[in-house]
Amino acid sequence: MNLHPMKLVTIVVEALARERITTLLAEVGAHGYTLFSVEGAGATGRRIGDIEEFANIQVEVVLRPEAAERLLARLGEEILPRFAMVTYESDIRVLRAEKF
Amino acid sequence: MNLHPMKLVTIVVEALARERITTLLAEVGAHGYTLFSVEGAGATGRRIGDIEEFANIQVEVVLRPEAAERLLARLGEEILPRFAMVTYESDIRVLRAEKF
Amino acid sequence: MNLHPMKLVTIVVEALARERITTLLAEVGAHGYTLFSVEGAGATGRRIGDIEEFANIQVEVVLRPEAAERLLARLGEEILPRFAMVTYESDIRVLRAEKF
């Protein structure tokens, strides 16, 4: 078995920010991500209803530590001032094929 | 960049418990949460089908360590005896704007 | 409060692999899992659209460390060569009732 230490970055953000986020992920060299719709309430205290335009998405991204740092820095500079977002990082070990 | 150590509490529970859970989150001072529908099987071994009333929800909550402890204690006392639930805690680092 | 150190294994895989994955989970003695549909792009670079047959699922499984090792070994041998998959492990603490 072949486990590599990596970072998982989780981004909960207004669905309106979707395009910006996926572009950002490509730019920082994300290895893979998943994206799904969620309900929720953020630190701002506002609740998100069923209306599509105001729906939240949760994006989970696997990255090397340097790439995670670049992503978090850019999220802080470019997304956090403009959109309701909660973002956090955690430590994971990713399964790799022997050939990697 | 400004990362704060926090706790992520994940709650997988019968959808019927939804109201109780979101009320509990507000009472312990949760900073934000997401909620989405999942299929799954719990420790009880029973499988959850497509019927809305028996569906499961997954709730992910970001909290300060003291608040996570309060939430876990109350989940153990008030929810675990009454509903099928799997709950766990992990360590995360949350991105904050400089102004926080 | 009664928290037990366990492993969380997250599997992002083509929906086609669903049956194989849930069978594998039962065989290695998983305590519980959730399963939900996600959009995403994997390490292979291919993007997943809305077509059901090519949709991705995300499976999150709580396991004892030995069972997590067995699961990761078998995913690496049996699933990774055949399906587009990203799998990772992390450390969690699971809430238990006193009676457990």
Side-chain angles (χ1 to χ4, degrees):
Chain A
M1 206 163 47
N2 204 345
L3 293 178
H4 285 232
M6 301 269 277
K7 300 293 179 186
L8 179 71
V9 175
T10 301
I11 305 163
V12 182
V13 67
E14 299 173 77
L16 286 167
R18 182 190 170 126
E19 281 279 313
R20 289 217 193 192
I21 299 286
T22 54
T23 303
L24 202 44
L25 296 184
E27 287 172 8
V28 300
H31 276 234
Y33 68 88
T34 62
L35 187 154
F36 51 99
S37 297
V38 294
E39 301 174 60
T44 56
R46 65 176 158 137
R47 289 185 127 277
I48 307 299
D50 286 342
I51 299 148
E52 184 64 13
E53 278 192 327
F54 297 95
N56 271 6
I57 52 172
Q58 181 158 331
V59 185
E60 300 182 356
V61 201
V62 176
L63 300 131
R64 293 183 198 284
E66 324 79 77
E69 222 170 287
R70 281 199 302 278
L71 176 59
L72 290 167
R74 291 195 54 188
L75 287 169
E77 285 160 22
E78 300 169 30
I79 309 293
L80 209 50
R82 290 176 187 83
F83 296 95
M85 177 177 74
V86 176
T87 293
Y88 50 89
E89 183 198 69
S90 58
D91 297 312
I92 57 171
R93 295 170 293 278
V94 176
L95 180 68
R96 289 257 175 248
E98 295 303 326
K99 63 181 170 178
F100 272 71
Chain B
M1 206 163 48
N2 203 343
L3 294 178
H4 285 231
M6 301 269 277
K7 300 293 179 187
L8 179 71
V9 175
T10 301
I11 306 163
V12 182
V13 67
E14 300 173 77
L16 286 168
R18 181 190 171 126
E19 282 279 313
R20 288 217 195 192
I21 299 286
T22 54
T23 302
L24 203 43
L25 296 184
E27 287 172 8
V28 300
H31 275 235
Y33 68 87
T34 62
L35 186 154
F36 51 99
S37 296
V38 295
E39 301 172 60
T44 57
R46 66 177 158 135
R47 290 184 128 278
I48 307 299
D50 287 341
I51 300 150
E52 184 64 14
E53 277 193 328
F54 297 93
N56 271 5
I57 52 172
Q58 182 159 331
V59 185
E60 299 182 358
V61 201
V62 176
L63 300 131
R64 293 183 200 283
E66 324 79 75
E69 221 170 289
R70 281 200 302 276
L71 175 59
L72 290 167
R74 292 195 55 187
L75 287 169
E77 285 160 23
E78 301 169 28
I79 309 292
L80 209 50
R82 291 176 186 81
F83 296 95
M85 177 178 74
V86 176
T87 292
Y88 49 90
E89 181 197 72
S90 58
D91 296 312
I92 58 171
R93 293 172 294 280
V94 176
L95 180 67
R96 288 256 175 248
E98 295 303 325
K99 63 181 170 176
F100 273 71
Chain C
M1 207 164 44
N2 203 343
L3 294 177
H4 286 232
M6 301 270 277
K7 301 292 179 186
L8 179 71
V9 175
T10 301
I11 306 163
V12 183
V13 68
E14 300 173 76
L16 286 167
R18 181 189 171 126
E19 281 279 313
R20 289 218 194 191
I21 300 286
T22 53
T23 302
L24 203 44
L25 296 183
E27 287 173 8
V28 301
H31 276 234
Y33 69 88
T34 62
L35 187 155
F36 51 100
S37 297
V38 294
E39 301 173 61
T44 57
R46 67 177 158 132
R47 288 185 128 279
I48 307 299
D50 286 342
I51 300 149
E52 183 65 13
E53 277 193 327
F54 297 94
N56 272 4
I57 52 172
Q58 181 158 331
V59 185
E60 299 182 357
V61 201
V62 176
L63 299 131
R64 293 185 199 281
E66 325 79 77
E69 224 170 285
R70 281 199 302 276
L71 175 60
L72 290 167
R74 292 195 54 186
L75 287 170
E77 285 160 22
E78 300 169 29
I79 309 292
L80 209 51
R82 290 176 186 82
F83 297 94
M85 177 177 74
V86 176
T87 292
Y88 49 89
E89 182 197 72
S90 58
D91 296 312
I92 58 171
R93 294 172 293 280
V94 176
L95 180 67
R96 290 256 175 250
E98 296 303 325
K99 62 181 171 177
F100 273 71

PDB file of all heavy atoms in Angstrom, chain A residues 28-54:
ATOM      1  N   VAL A  28      -4.023  26.518  -9.541  1.00  0.00           N
ATOM      2  CA  VAL A  28      -3.068  26.143  -8.483  1.00  0.00           C
ATOM      3  C   VAL A  28      -2.632  24.680  -8.606  1.00  0.00           C
ATOM      4  O   VAL A  28      -1.831  24.206  -7.793  1.00  0.00           O
ATOM      5  CB  VAL A  28      -3.618  26.401  -7.058  1.00  0.00           C
ATOM      6  CG1 VAL A  28      -3.948  27.880  -6.870  1.00  0.00           C
ATOM      7  CG2 VAL A  28      -4.813  25.532  -6.753  1.00  0.00           C
ATOM      8  N   GLY A  29      -3.168  23.953  -9.578  1.00  0.00           N
ATOM      9  CA  GLY A  29      -2.709  22.578  -9.819  1.00  0.00           C
ATOM     10  C   GLY A  29      -3.370  21.528  -8.950  1.00  0.00           C
ATOM     11  O   GLY A  29      -2.721  20.595  -8.483  1.00  0.00           O
ATOM     12  N   ALA A  30      -4.684  21.671  -8.732  1.00  0.00           N
ATOM     13  CA  ALA A  30      -5.418  20.670  -7.942  1.00  0.00           C
ATOM     14  C   ALA A  30      -5.399  19.311  -8.642  1.00  0.00           C
ATOM     15  O   ALA A  30      -5.504  19.237  -9.861  1.00  0.00           O
ATOM     16  CB  ALA A  30      -6.854  21.127  -7.734  1.00  0.00           C
ATOM     17  N   HIS A  31      -5.269  18.249  -7.851  1.00  0.00           N
ATOM     18  CA  HIS A  31      -5.224  16.882  -8.392  1.00  0.00           C
ATOM     19  C   HIS A  31      -6.610  16.313  -8.658  1.00  0.00           C
ATOM     20  O   HIS A  31      -6.756  15.362  -9.393  1.00  0.00           O
ATOM     21  CB  HIS A  31      -4.513  15.960  -7.405  1.00  0.00           C
ATOM     22  CG  HIS A  31      -3.050  15.992  -7.551  1.00  0.00           C
ATOM     23  ND1 HIS A  31      -2.303  14.875  -7.734  1.00  0.00           N
ATOM     24  CD2 HIS A  31      -2.184  17.027  -7.576  1.00  0.00           C
ATOM     25  CE1 HIS A  31      -1.036  15.216  -7.837  1.00  0.00           C
ATOM     26  NE2 HIS A  31      -0.933  16.511  -7.735  1.00  0.00           N
ATOM     27  N   GLY A  32      -7.594  16.863  -8.007  1.00  0.00           N
ATOM     28  CA  GLY A  32      -8.936  16.323  -8.160  1.00  0.00           C
ATOM     29  C   GLY A  32      -9.837  17.041  -7.182  1.00  0.00           C
ATOM     30  O   GLY A  32      -9.368  17.536  -6.154  1.00  0.00           O
ATOM     31  N   TYR A  33     -11.087  17.135  -7.508  1.00  0.00           N
ATOM     32  CA  TYR A  33     -12.007  17.745  -6.566  1.00  0.00           C
ATOM     33  C   TYR A  33     -13.385  17.142  -6.731  1.00  0.00           C
ATOM     34  O   TYR A  33     -13.685  16.528  -7.758  1.00  0.00           O
ATOM     35  CB  TYR A  33     -12.073  19.271  -6.754  1.00  0.00           C
ATOM     36  CG  TYR A  33     -12.714  19.720  -8.044  1.00  0.00           C
ATOM     37  CD1 TYR A  33     -14.095  19.915  -8.128  1.00  0.00           C
ATOM     38  CD2 TYR A  33     -11.961  19.940  -9.177  1.00  0.00           C
ATOM     39  CE1 TYR A  33     -14.691  20.316  -9.307  1.00  0.00           C
ATOM     40  CE2 TYR A  33     -12.544  20.342 -10.365  1.00  0.00           C
ATOM     41  CZ  TYR A  33     -13.905  20.528 -10.422  1.00  0.00           C
ATOM     42  OH  TYR A  33     -14.490  20.912 -11.601  1.00  0.00           O
ATOM     43  N   THR A  34     -14.217  17.302  -5.711  1.00  0.00           N
ATOM     44  CA  THR A  34     -15.631  16.997  -5.855  1.00  0.00           C
ATOM     45  C   THR A  34     -16.420  18.237  -5.480  1.00  0.00           C
ATOM     46  O   THR A  34     -15.951  19.083  -4.713  1.00  0.00           O
ATOM     47  CB  THR A  34     -16.093  15.819  -4.970  1.00  0.00           C
ATOM     48  OG1 THR A  34     -15.908  16.155  -3.602  1.00  0.00           O
ATOM     49  CG2 THR A  34     -15.325  14.557  -5.305  1.00  0.00           C
ATOM     50  N   LEU A  35     -17.602  18.334  -6.055  1.00  0.00           N
ATOM     51  CA  LEU A  35     -18.457  19.500  -5.861  1.00  0.00           C
ATOM     52  C   LEU A  35     -19.881  18.998  -5.704  1.00  0.00           C
ATOM     53  O   LEU A  35     -20.339  18.167  -6.476  1.00  0.00           O
ATOM     54  CB  LEU A  35     -18.319  20.384  -7.103  1.00  0.00           C
ATOM     55  CG  LEU A  35     -18.966  21.762  -7.119  1.00  0.00           C
ATOM     56  CD1 LEU A  35     -18.224  22.677  -8.079  1.00  0.00           C
ATOM     57  CD2 LEU A  35     -20.434  21.700  -7.471  1.00  0.00           C
ATOM     58  N   PHE A  36     -20.580  19.482  -4.662  1.00  0.00           N
ATOM     59  CA  PHE A  36     -21.980  19.102  -4.477  1.00  0.00           C
ATOM     60  C   PHE A  36     -22.740  20.222  -3.781  1.00  0.00           C
ATOM     61  O   PHE A  36     -22.147  21.092  -3.153  1.00  0.00           O
ATOM     62  CB  PHE A  36     -22.112  17.770  -3.722  1.00  0.00           C
ATOM     63  CG  PHE A  36     -21.336  17.687  -2.428  1.00  0.00           C
ATOM     64  CD1 PHE A  36     -21.948  17.904  -1.205  1.00  0.00           C
ATOM     65  CD2 PHE A  36     -19.978  17.374  -2.434  1.00  0.00           C
ATOM     66  CE1 PHE A  36     -21.240  17.827  -0.007  1.00  0.00           C
ATOM     67  CE2 PHE A  36     -19.252  17.295  -1.245  1.00  0.00           C
ATOM     68  CZ  PHE A  36     -19.885  17.527  -0.043  1.00  0.00           C
ATOM     69  N   SER A  37     -24.054  20.207  -3.945  1.00  0.00           N
ATOM     70  CA  SER A  37     -24.911  21.251  -3.375  1.00  0.00           C
ATOM     71  C   SER A  37     -25.201  20.949  -1.913  1.00  0.00           C
ATOM     72  O   SER A  37     -25.424  19.798  -1.557  1.00  0.00           O
ATOM     73  CB  SER A  37     -26.238  21.313  -4.137  1.00  0.00           C
ATOM     74  OG  SER A  37     -25.992  21.678  -5.466  1.00  0.00           O
ATOM     75  N   VAL A  38     -25.201  21.989  -1.096  1.00  0.00           N
ATOM     76  CA  VAL A  38     -25.522  21.817   0.319  1.00  0.00           C
ATOM     77  C   VAL A  38     -26.449  22.937   0.772  1.00  0.00           C
ATOM     78  O   VAL A  38     -26.495  24.002   0.173  1.00  0.00           O
ATOM     79  CB  VAL A  38     -24.256  21.847   1.209  1.00  0.00           C
ATOM     80  CG1 VAL A  38     -23.356  20.647   0.941  1.00  0.00           C
ATOM     81  CG2 VAL A  38     -23.473  23.150   1.031  1.00  0.00           C
ATOM     82  N   GLU A  39     -27.166  22.675   1.832  1.00  0.00           N
ATOM     83  CA  GLU A  39     -27.852  23.733   2.556  1.00  0.00           C
ATOM     84  C   GLU A  39     -26.914  24.134   3.680  1.00  0.00           C
ATOM     85  O   GLU A  39     -26.054  23.359   4.083  1.00  0.00           O
ATOM     86  CB  GLU A  39     -29.126  23.211   3.200  1.00  0.00           C
ATOM     87  CG  GLU A  39     -30.116  22.644   2.228  1.00  0.00           C
ATOM     88  CD  GLU A  39     -31.281  22.017   2.988  1.00  0.00           C
ATOM     89  OE1 GLU A  39     -31.954  22.746   3.741  1.00  0.00           O
ATOM     90  OE2 GLU A  39     -31.492  20.815   2.840  1.00  0.00           O
ATOM     91  N   GLY A  40     -27.131  25.312   4.238  1.00  0.00           N
ATOM     92  CA  GLY A  40     -26.284  25.655   5.366  1.00  0.00           C
ATOM     93  C   GLY A  40     -26.435  27.076   5.804  1.00  0.00           C
ATOM     94  O   GLY A  40     -27.118  27.883   5.176  1.00  0.00           O
ATOM     95  N   ALA A  41     -25.784  27.363   6.898  1.00  0.00           N
ATOM     96  CA  ALA A  41     -25.711  28.727   7.391  1.00  0.00           C
ATOM     97  C   ALA A  41     -24.244  29.014   7.643  1.00  0.00           C
ATOM     98  O   ALA A  41     -23.521  28.162   8.158  1.00  0.00           O
ATOM     99  CB  ALA A  41     -26.517  28.880   8.671  1.00  0.00           C
ATOM    100  N   GLY A  42     -23.800  30.171   7.276  1.00  0.00           N
ATOM    101  CA  GLY A  42     -22.386  30.507   7.434  1.00  0.00           C
ATOM    102  C   GLY A  42     -22.157  31.402   8.634  1.00  0.00           C
ATOM    103  O   GLY A  42     -23.083  31.683   9.411  1.00  0.00           O
ATOM    104  N   ALA A  43     -20.928  31.860   8.759  1.00  0.00           N
ATOM    105  CA  ALA A  43     -20.528  32.702   9.881  1.00  0.00           C
ATOM    106  C   ALA A  43     -21.271  34.035   9.853  1.00  0.00           C
ATOM    107  O   ALA A  43     -21.405  34.707  10.856  1.00  0.00           O
ATOM    108  CB  ALA A  43     -19.027  32.938   9.842  1.00  0.00           C
ATOM    109  N   THR A  44     -21.773  34.395   8.674  1.00  0.00           N
ATOM    110  CA  THR A  44     -22.490  35.649   8.529  1.00  0.00           C
ATOM    111  C   THR A  44     -23.879  35.562   9.169  1.00  0.00           C
ATOM    112  O   THR A  44     -24.536  36.568   9.350  1.00  0.00           O
ATOM    113  CB  THR A  44     -22.700  35.986   7.047  1.00  0.00           C
ATOM    114  OG1 THR A  44     -23.384  34.879   6.431  1.00  0.00           O
ATOM    115  CG2 THR A  44     -21.371  36.181   6.347  1.00  0.00           C
ATOM    116  N   GLY A  45     -24.296  34.339   9.468  1.00  0.00           N
ATOM    117  CA  GLY A  45     -25.576  34.153  10.118  1.00  0.00           C
ATOM    118  C   GLY A  45     -26.742  34.079   9.150  1.00  0.00           C
ATOM    119  O   GLY A  45     -27.849  33.782   9.535  1.00  0.00           O
ATOM    120  N   ARG A  46     -26.482  34.306   7.870  1.00  0.00           N
ATOM    121  CA  ARG A  46     -27.646  34.227   6.991  1.00  0.00           C
ATOM    122  C   ARG A  46     -27.883  32.788   6.532  1.00  0.00           C
ATOM    123  O   ARG A  46     -26.970  32.035   6.287  1.00  0.00           O
ATOM    124  CB  ARG A  46     -27.504  35.168   5.800  1.00  0.00           C
ATOM    125  CG  ARG A  46     -26.392  34.841   4.855  1.00  0.00           C
ATOM    126  CD  ARG A  46     -26.510  35.828   3.703  1.00  0.00           C
ATOM    127  NE  ARG A  46     -25.255  35.953   3.029  1.00  0.00           N
ATOM    128  CZ  ARG A  46     -25.155  35.992   1.716  1.00  0.00           C
ATOM    129  NH1 ARG A  46     -26.226  35.883   0.965  1.00  0.00           N
ATOM    130  NH2 ARG A  46     -23.978  36.119   1.152  1.00  0.00           N
ATOM    131  N   ARG A  47     -29.138  32.472   6.467  1.00  0.00           N
ATOM    132  CA  ARG A  47     -29.532  31.115   6.103  1.00  0.00           C
ATOM    133  C   ARG A  47     -29.753  31.049   4.599  1.00  0.00           C
ATOM    134  O   ARG A  47     -30.214  31.986   3.981  1.00  0.00           O
ATOM    135  CB  ARG A  47     -30.833  30.725   6.816  1.00  0.00           C
ATOM    136  CG  ARG A  47     -30.615  30.526   8.288  1.00  0.00           C
ATOM    137  CD  ARG A  47     -31.892  30.019   8.936  1.00  0.00           C
ATOM    138  NE  ARG A  47     -31.666  28.824   9.694  1.00  0.00           N
ATOM    139  CZ  ARG A  47     -31.617  27.600   9.210  1.00  0.00           C
ATOM    140  NH1 ARG A  47     -31.804  27.367   7.929  1.00  0.00           N
ATOM    141  NH2 ARG A  47     -31.388  26.573   9.991  1.00  0.00           N
ATOM    142  N   ILE A  48     -29.462  29.893   4.034  1.00  0.00           N
ATOM    143  CA  ILE A  48     -29.574  29.711   2.603  1.00  0.00           C
ATOM    144  C   ILE A  48     -30.813  28.866   2.314  1.00  0.00           C
ATOM    145  O   ILE A  48     -30.990  27.811   2.905  1.00  0.00           O
ATOM    146  CB  ILE A  48     -28.323  28.983   2.071  1.00  0.00           C
ATOM    147  CG1 ILE A  48     -27.047  29.720   2.511  1.00  0.00           C
ATOM    148  CG2 ILE A  48     -28.382  28.839   0.569  1.00  0.00           C
ATOM    149  CD1 ILE A  48     -26.909  31.133   2.013  1.00  0.00           C
ATOM    150  N   GLY A  49     -31.679  29.344   1.469  1.00  0.00           N
ATOM    151  CA  GLY A  49     -32.915  28.646   1.160  1.00  0.00           C
ATOM    152  C   GLY A  49     -32.786  27.739  -0.045  1.00  0.00           C
ATOM    153  O   GLY A  49     -31.696  27.313  -0.421  1.00  0.00           O
ATOM    154  N   ASP A  50     -33.917  27.439  -0.648  1.00  0.00           N
ATOM    155  CA  ASP A  50     -33.938  26.507  -1.774  1.00  0.00           C
ATOM    156  C   ASP A  50     -33.691  27.199  -3.100  1.00  0.00           C
ATOM    157  O   ASP A  50     -33.530  26.539  -4.120  1.00  0.00           O
ATOM    158  CB  ASP A  50     -35.294  25.807  -1.841  1.00  0.00           C
ATOM    159  CG  ASP A  50     -35.418  24.779  -0.736  1.00  0.00           C
ATOM    160  OD1 ASP A  50     -34.366  24.394  -0.194  1.00  0.00           O
ATOM    161  OD2 ASP A  50     -36.534  24.363  -0.450  1.00  0.00           O
ATOM    162  N   ILE A  51     -33.700  28.519  -3.113  1.00  0.00           N
ATOM    163  CA  ILE A  51     -33.562  29.248  -4.366  1.00  0.00           C
ATOM    164  C   ILE A  51     -32.173  29.016  -4.940  1.00  0.00           C
ATOM    165  O   ILE A  51     -31.163  29.238  -4.280  1.00  0.00           O
ATOM    166  CB  ILE A  51     -33.811  30.760  -4.138  1.00  0.00           C
ATOM    167  CG1 ILE A  51     -35.232  30.948  -3.610  1.00  0.00           C
ATOM    168  CG2 ILE A  51     -33.603  31.541  -5.425  1.00  0.00           C
ATOM    169  CD1 ILE A  51     -35.357  32.123  -2.663  1.00  0.00           C
ATOM    170  N   GLU A  52     -32.136  28.555  -6.179  1.00  0.00           N
ATOM    171  CA  GLU A  52     -30.889  28.111  -6.813  1.00  0.00           C
ATOM    172  C   GLU A  52     -29.795  29.166  -6.741  1.00  0.00           C
ATOM    173  O   GLU A  52     -28.662  28.870  -6.402  1.00  0.00           O
ATOM    174  CB  GLU A  52     -31.174  27.734  -8.280  1.00  0.00           C
ATOM    175  CG  GLU A  52     -29.979  27.156  -9.037  1.00  0.00           C
ATOM    176  CD  GLU A  52     -29.520  25.836  -8.430  1.00  0.00           C
ATOM    177  OE1 GLU A  52     -30.260  25.268  -7.601  1.00  0.00           O
ATOM    178  OE2 GLU A  52     -28.426  25.390  -8.783  1.00  0.00           O
ATOM    179  N   GLU A  53     -30.160  30.418  -7.041  1.00  0.00           N
ATOM    180  CA  GLU A  53     -29.171  31.496  -7.084  1.00  0.00           C
ATOM    181  C   GLU A  53     -28.443  31.710  -5.767  1.00  0.00           C
ATOM    182  O   GLU A  53     -27.341  32.217  -5.741  1.00  0.00           O
ATOM    183  CB  GLU A  53     -29.839  32.816  -7.469  1.00  0.00           C
ATOM    184  CG  GLU A  53     -30.035  32.977  -8.943  1.00  0.00           C
ATOM    185  CD  GLU A  53     -30.421  34.422  -9.227  1.00  0.00           C
ATOM    186  OE1 GLU A  53     -31.104  35.048  -8.393  1.00  0.00           O
ATOM    187  OE2 GLU A  53     -30.048  34.909 -10.299  1.00  0.00           O
ATOM    188  N   PHE A  54     -29.107  31.364  -4.673  1.00  0.00           N
ATOM    189  CA  PHE A  54     -28.501  31.597  -3.368  1.00  0.00           C
ATOM    190  C   PHE A  54     -28.042  30.303  -2.711  1.00  0.00           C
ATOM    191  O   PHE A  54     -27.638  30.284  -1.571  1.00  0.00           O
ATOM    192  CB  PHE A  54     -29.482  32.341  -2.456  1.00  0.00           C
ATOM    193  CG  PHE A  54     -29.815  33.689  -2.988  1.00  0.00           C
ATOM    194  CD1 PHE A  54     -30.942  33.874  -3.756  1.00  0.00           C
ATOM    195  CD2 PHE A  54     -28.981  34.770  -2.761  1.00  0.00           C
ATOM    196  CE1 PHE A  54     -31.249  35.125  -4.271  1.00  0.00           C
ATOM    197  CE2 PHE A  54     -29.276  36.020  -3.272  1.00  0.00           C
ATOM    198  CZ  PHE A  54     -30.407  36.196  -4.030  1.00  0.00           C
TER     199      PHE A  54
END
